[in-house]
DNA sequence: GAGTGTGAAGTAATTCACAGCG
DNA sequence: CGCTGTGAATTACTTCACACTC
């Protein structure tokens, strides 16, 4: 029943995002309801986990029936902040940045790229999917005036902290960091990292042992 | 002291990868030793955690001194499977795939792309960073004959499971999945996912509450 | 003296199991 | 009945604290 600002486990939040995606699939498949069991098997967790995760935000299910797909999607959209648009800036207009700015999934879920920056003079002025690449030096000015709240960092590791400091100074409150280093931000700013090197090395660790990584035991 | 096949926590494995990267930095900075405290502060965890993580594989440190950078790197390289080369295939030669195949970090750590596949006839035959893009139909044949052990999947969500089945059938034992869906694999195959949508939505969840996400309390 | 290695203690996350409702 | 919602039990992970070594 608790909807207030409670301590929500990070892992639970990420699962909410997974549930949401599965619900989109189910809606697309024409399903009207979804049991915790379905949600669990499609996301690789357990039915009890799904119910626990959802129940900390409200009683969205109907006993004997399951969860109605559309209403639950709406709830999750609200929880995850997907019922509004977010202005996003890309910092680092390399190949990865170019890939992300085109990634349809972001656009479809309300993330709108409104600026792209790079420090390489050769890239300044070039177009990237409807945006003109601006010099990183203009970061502070452009971000502040355009109301950007999220920065996606696809810069080299060595530049990541400096760029993070700059976007935070420009008022950005959320950072999605693709550089393989941990960046430090002041209180009140959120950072999530996507570290593909770590994931790849976790994979080779598992391969070296000759075992499967796979998460949950319950099939 | 235990070096045998212990149940190693997933989170611990990922931290090992982080420690390794920090050690590379420290080596580059000319440091000969590193305390658990340094490793902790640079990776965002606690000194006790660092020691616990490392101690489950051996006694690598010297009391009163810390860890010697080079020897510890060597240990971690071994643990993480980075002391050998891995042949990697890229499946999905879109923008993201193109970005990954150029990502210097992978190459520098022993990951060698030996084949690239796509199902789009328009892309077949085109070059991608020294590789010629092959039709996905050739997957089975090429992979089996080239000894590829790891597949990196950058295909659309809808195709991910099908592609995963194909690479597993071709003998691949490890998959790094960039598609935003969970893929199911048989026992003995490892999958790690990089889901940037989840990370971005975890970020907007945090922003919606107006709080910082950041991991550990201890500074 | 400084900093590791590690049992013990504490905290967090997951799973169980079942009452209760549609 | 079937399936949710949830306290209680369990398991996993982290932090403490200190003996021990260099």
């Amino acid at each position: 029943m608790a909807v207030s600002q409670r301590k929500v486990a990070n892992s639970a939040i990420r699962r909410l995002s997974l549930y949401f995606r599965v619900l989109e699939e189910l809606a697309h498949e024409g399903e009207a309801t979804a049991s915790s069991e379905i949600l669990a098997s499609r996301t690789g967790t357990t039915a009890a986990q799904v119910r626990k995760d959802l129940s900390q935000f409200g009683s969205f299910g109907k006993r004997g029936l399951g969860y109605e797909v559309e209403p639950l999607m709406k709830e999750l959209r609200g929880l995850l902040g997907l019922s509004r648009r977010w202005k996003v800036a890309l910092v680092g207009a390399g190949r990865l940045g170019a890939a992300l700015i085109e990634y349809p999934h972001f656009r479809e879920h309300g993330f709108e790229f409104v600026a792209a920056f790079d420090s390489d003079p050769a890239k300044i002025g070039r177009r990237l999917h409807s945006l003109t690449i601006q010099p990183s030096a203009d970061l502070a000015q452009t971000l502040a005036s355009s109301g950007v709240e999220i920065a996606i960092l696809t810069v080299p590791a060595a530049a990541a902290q400096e760029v993070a400091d700059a976007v935070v100074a420009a008022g950005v409150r959320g950072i999605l960091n693709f550089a393989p280093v941990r960046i430090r931000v002041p209180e009140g700013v959120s950072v999530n990292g996507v570290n593909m090197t770590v994931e790849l090395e976790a994979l080779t660790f598992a391969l070296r042992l000759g075992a499967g990584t796979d998460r949950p035991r319950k099939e």
Side-chain angles (χ1 to χ4, degrees), chain A:
Chain A
M1 214 35 78
V3 183
S4 58
Q5 198 163 325
R6 210 52 316 95
K7 214 258 304 303
V8 183
N10 227 287
S11 44
I13 297 168
R14 281 203 281 271
R15 282 193 299 268
L16 292 183
S17 171
L18 296 175
Y19 304 153
F20 181 68
R21 195 156 349 286
V22 168
L23 288 167
E24 288 184 309
E25 282 175 31
L26 292 171
H28 191 255
E29 292 167 16
E31 299 290 338
T33 64
S35 66
S36 55
E37 182 51 44
I38 293 282
L39 257 13
S41 74
R42 295 227 195 174
T43 54
T45 184
T46 64
Q49 183 75 79
V50 172
R51 296 199 296 274
K52 254 278 149 71
D53 286 342
L54 295 176
S55 73
Q56 67 190 306
F57 300 104
S59 294
F60 306 136
K62 289 198 166 30
R63 295 171 195 231
L65 219 212
Y67 301 87
E68 294 184 69
V69 171
E70 287 294 346
L72 183 56
M73 280 180 69
K74 189 167 183 175
E75 290 290 347
L76 291 183
R77 209 179 276 119
L79 286 170
L80 294 169
L82 302 177
S83 47
R84 76 193 225 13
R85 303 190 67 75
W86 295 89
K87 291 190 183 180
V88 178
L90 178 75
V91 188
R95 287 171 188 278
L96 181 56
L100 297 182
I101 214 168
E102 304 270 3
Y103 193 48
H105 221 284
F106 288 166
R107 179 162 303 267
E108 287 160 10
H109 288 82
F111 298 96
E112 185 185 4
F113 285 90
V114 299
F117 301 91
D118 204 290
S119 61
D120 177 1
K123 290 199 185 119
I124 310 301
R126 280 172 46 189
R127 305 223 101 211
L128 196 61
H129 189 262
S130 87
L131 294 177
T132 302
I133 300 172
Q134 301 178 255
S136 298
D138 295 359
L139 251 169
Q141 207 165 30
T142 308
L143 291 193
S145 67
S146 59
V148 165
E149 288 167 288
I150 295 173
I152 298 187
L153 267 45
T154 53
V155 298
Q161 184 62 57
E162 183 189 3
V163 168
D165 293 344
V167 300
V168 168
V172 164
R173 318 244 358 274
I175 296 176
L176 186 61
N177 174 35
F178 283 81
V181 292
R182 185 162 296 251
I183 58 184
R184 198 157 275 293
V185 294
E187 189 74 17
V189 177
S190 301
V191 183
N192 269 8
V194 175
N195 195 329
M196 40 210 190
T197 312
V198 166
E199 295 304 325
L200 184 54
E201 292 176 4
L203 192 59
T204 50
F205 179 96
L207 290 180
R208 226 183 45 81
L209 300 179
T213 318
D214 251 343
R215 318 307 160 62
R217 229 93 315 263
K218 237 0 176 332
E219 181 73 35

